[in-house]
Amino acid sequence: MLMTAEDYRESLRRYTPRIFINGSQVTNVADEPLLAPGIAGVGVTYDFAHHPDHVHSLTAIEASSGKTVNRMLHINRESKDLLSKLEAVRAVCAESGCAQRYLAHDALNGLYQATKRTDDRHGTDYHQRFIHYLHRVQDEDLSLGIAMTDAKGDRSKRAGEQAKRDVYVHIKERRPDGIIIRGTKAIVTGAPYMHEFLVMPCRTHPAEDADFAVACAVPVDAPGITIIARPAGRRGEASAKFSAKYGQSTGVVQFDNVFVPHEQVFLAGETEEGGFLTTTYATHHRQSCIGARAGFGDLLIGAGALMTRANGLDFEKHGHLRDAMVELITITESFYACGVASSVYCEQDPAGSVMPHPVYSNIGKLLLATKIYDMHRIAHLVSGGLIVALPGPDEDHNPETQASLSAVLSGRPDIPTEQRLEVARFIEDLTVSSQAGWYSVMSLHGGGSPEAMKREIWRNYPVSEKTDLVERLLDRDILDEGQKVTDQPGKCCEKGC
Ligand SMILES: Cc1cc2nc3c(=O)[nH]c(=O)nc-3n(C[C@H](O)[C@H](O)[C@H](O)COP(=O)(O)OP(=O)(O)OC[C@H]3O[C@@H](n4cnc5c(N)ncnc54)[C@H](O)[C@@H]3O)c2cc1C
């Protein structure tokens, strides 16, 4: 059943997670004002699946069941699926800033590939278990929180060397009917208002750290789970033109001896495949981040153009403002184009699914991670200082000041002052407020810090094809295939087998 946003909000009443926000326990997630903008953001992914303009990108046929499912839970079979996902993520994020639920898509696709590979290598039955789980999640149209980033402790040490073992989630005990896990995931998007968590390793662990290579699914209210979260958005703040409505909570999720039955365990000690899962998830997720930040670009482009007009200026007459907007458009569409390229040149996986091309996916994410700061700069440049200097919204209703302020703060005569001030507050909300900082940091570190992308680009880029080309043009002898060496990490030879 494809839920609506209202169905989703109501469905949260079935769960009783242990949650703390700002020092107090939250007992009613569905009605909690501090979480309402986050629930509304996820809600967009549900409502758009019924919306005539978006149903084609927000829904898909799951090949393994023949059923129509939400795109955020779909396994990609061809390039077109990846393009539709990219469009879907851009559309939901242009509406909500960040619809959060696409992380589930990325994790499900990573697990689809990793469980198949693990079974092929070790004779396990993870893939079949995972397919059962996938179908249930799709049938119930659930929202899944992705619990991947461990607290990690001292970054210079591996998991097994940490003074406190609980800085990484690990298997504490193996039982005939399942496993007991404990430890801490540090940053989980939407944690308080998810239905279940998908726990996955955040890095490749060596064989001696096998207990840290664990992937499994648990309901948010499984005994032993505590969520310590931040509020979502800026609910109740009159100047928060956007983030009073939509926002994102993130939570620290502590697992204190949580039992996970076998049927919900998808990896339990297979370190090499755990590393593969980390990389495949990241490749899917970085492509989704591209769609998400393109949606954010849409908001800034629209708001920047409205602000310029409200200021009484014309892009045709004022070339520097047009150039600034063209830079904003170029940034947004250049990383989006990487998302398109990564879909078109997708890689077929032996599991039967496709994955975005890793080079384009990582380049797109690297671009947006760094260019997000330029996007903010351009929005500031075209808007002027009003976006930080405008008196608070209470003055809009102050009989002492309202009329005189309104008279002097107008811009173009045919655009009402209130509309100019509204756009200024919208831009303030997205590029200056605490939410603005959140968008920057999420873009920079979400899906991995820039160094992680650089490593993947270098690892996957066919440098040797370029050296061969130059060797050939220089008429130099090229070594036989078998003698060739490579200095790219993760490749044993030129073919990268
Ligand atoms: C808004 C937001 C939402 C997020 N949502 C989720 C989510 O839903 N699920 C999830 O699992 N994660 C989520 N993340 C986490 C995200 O994936 C991490 O922030 C990212 O992987 C970086 O990890 P970190 O924050 O622990 O930074 P760190 O790992 O501490 O990195 C900080 C800096 O140190 C460098 N560094 C780290 N370790 C080393 C080392 N050993 N050697 C050299 N340099 C090093 C890094 O390159 C980086 O520049 C989210 C993050 C944000 C900001």
Side-chain angles (χ1 to χ4, degrees):
M1 183 199 68
L2 289 173
M3 286 199 274
T4 62
E6 191 46 30
D7 295 335
Y8 153 66
R9 200 172 73 85
E10 284 302 310
S11 72
L12 296 173
R13 298 189 197 284
R14 296 199 303 262
Y15 299 80
T16 53
R18 185 166 185 261
I19 300 171
F20 295 91
I21 301 179
N22 294 346
S24 301
Q25 187 156 7
V26 170
T27 48
N28 179 352
V29 170
D31 299 320
E32 173 55 55
L34 293 174
L35 297 175
I39 294 172
V42 174
V44 174
T45 67
Y46 286 98
D47 273 350
F48 271 23
H50 301 272
H51 193 292
D53 292 347
H54 301 291
V55 64
H56 66 283
S57 64
L58 258 295
T59 59
I61 305 287
E62 171 56 43
S64 58
S65 67
K67 292 183 183 171
T68 300
V69 301
N70 192 293
R71 177 74 64 187
M72 302 295 132
L73 305 174
H74 180 241
I75 302 298
N76 307 297
R77 300 291 170 170
E78 53 181 341
S79 160
K80 200 171 148 296
D81 291 332
L82 289 167
L83 277 172
S84 297
K85 189 262 309 200
L86 198 63
E87 287 170 14
V89 173
R90 184 171 186 163
V92 292
C93 292
E95 185 76 16
S96 64
C98 180
Q100 306 158 71
R101 204 173 165 212
Y102 52 82
L103 284 94
H105 162 280
D106 308 331
L108 292 173
N109 276 273
L111 278 163
Y112 188 83
Q113 294 171 249
T115 50
K116 177 74 170 65
R117 175 184 277 226
T118 314
D119 288 358
D120 289 348
R121 288 180 168 185
H122 301 285
T124 43
D125 67 344
Y126 293 124
H127 194 61
Q128 207 44 47
R129 281 186 217 173
F130 175 72
I131 297 288
H132 279 300
Y133 173 74
L134 174 76
H135 289 167
R136 179 174 70 75
V137 163
Q138 291 173 335
D139 288 347
E140 295 178 18
D141 204 8
L142 298 182
S143 280
L144 307 175
I146 305 312
M148 189 169 192
T149 304
D150 293 279
K152 291 189 285 196
D154 181 343
R155 269 64 175 157
S156 69
K157 293 189 163 73
R158 58 178 180 79
E161 291 172 338
Q162 298 292 333
K164 295 190 186 90
R165 206 169 162 81
D166 284 353
V167 294
Y168 281 85
V169 169
H170 56 277
I171 301 172
K172 192 189 167 210
E173 193 185 329
R174 292 167 194 264
R175 291 186 184 170
D177 53 346
I179 56 173
I180 305 279
I181 58 169
R182 61 176 295 117
T184 309
K185 294 292 185 182
I187 312 180
V188 180
T189 292
Y193 41 85
M194 293 290 131
H195 298 109
E196 301 202 0
F197 292 127
L198 270 177
V199 175
M200 306 201 296
C202 77
R203 62 188 293 180
T204 307
H205 295 287
E208 58 266 44
D209 286 349
D211 283 344
F212 298 90
V214 57
C216 58
V218 282
V220 288
D221 56 357
I225 293 183
T226 300
I227 302 163
I228 305 140
R230 289 169 68 98
R234 300 169 65 201
R235 176 86 166 173
E237 291 185 46
S239 62
K241 281 291 157 198
F242 188 81
S243 54
K245 188 174 176 193
Y246 294 120
Q248 180 191 112
S249 170
T250 49
V252 176
V253 182
Q254 295 176 326
F255 297 83
D256 183 8
N257 294 342
V258 176
F259 174 71
V260 189
H262 264 314
E263 54 275 19
Q264 305 244 124
V265 177
F266 310 127
L267 211 66
E270 296 80 0
T271 48
E272 221 181 300
E273 291 73 22
F276 175 74
L277 173 60
T278 310
T279 318
T280 48
Y281 165 77
T283 307
H284 285 287
H285 185 49
R286 288 169 192 164
Q287 197 216 26
S288 294
C289 292
I290 291 170
R293 226 48 66 224
F296 184 71
D298 292 337
L299 293 173
L300 291 192
I301 293 165
L306 286 175
M307 193 68 202
T308 305
R309 273 185 217 138
N311 284 346
L313 298 168
D314 183 338
F315 289 113
E316 290 305 315
K317 288 193 198 140
H318 308 288
H320 71 291
L321 294 174
R322 187 208 50 223
D323 286 356
M325 289 299 287
V326 169
E327 189 186 350
L328 182 55
I329 293 165
T330 304
I331 290 171
T332 303
E333 301 304 343
S334 59
F335 63 70
Y336 191 71
C338 288
V340 173
S342 68
S343 307
V344 172
Y345 296 113
C346 62
E347 292 189 344
Q348 189 75 43
D349 188 89
S353 60
V354 292
M355 184 172 77
H357 191 284
V359 170
Y360 294 115
S361 179
N362 278 283
I363 291 178
K365 171 66 193 15
L366 183 60
L367 273 176
L368 75 89
T370 46
K371 294 287 181 184
I372 184 78
Y373 298 94
D374 291 307
M375 294 167 78
H376 286 183
R377 169 183 56 79
I378 295 164
H380 298 167
L381 187 132
V382 299
S383 300
L386 193 68
I387 55 171
V388 294
L390 181 62
D394 288 344
E395 293 301 333
D396 297 353
H397 310 288
N398 180 356
E400 302 272 345
T401 58
Q402 192 273 334
S404 58
L405 260 186
S406 178
V408 293
L409 291 182
S410 64
R412 209 168 94 173
D414 60 336
I415 296 179
T417 309
E418 313 85 76
Q419 287 190 10
R420 179 169 181 254
L421 304 191
E422 205 168 38
V423 179
R425 289 199 180 113
F426 186 91
I427 295 176
E428 175 194 352
D429 192 16
L430 290 185
T431 68
V432 183
S433 71
S434 59
Q435 288 302 292
W438 173 80
Y439 279 114
S440 303
V441 177
M442 177 175 65
S443 303
L444 188 67
H445 286 297
S449 308
E451 175 61 13
M453 278 130 246
K454 289 180 189 170
R455 267 195 253 157
E456 280 300 284
I457 293 165
W458 180 244
R459 192 170 72 86
N460 287 288
Y461 195 77
V463 177
S464 58
E465 282 180 18
K466 318 294 168 177
T467 53
D468 284 359
L469 167 71
V470 177
E471 293 266 21
R472 184 171 54 74
L473 292 172
L474 292 173
D475 287 331
R476 295 215 300 229
D477 282 346
I478 301 172
L479 291 169
D480 289 338
E481 278 289 321
Q483 292 176 265
K484 284 186 181 176
V485 290
T486 174
D487 54 4
Q488 283 175 269
K491 286 192 174 185
C492 57
C493 66
E494 281 298 310
K495 286 181 183 163
C497 57

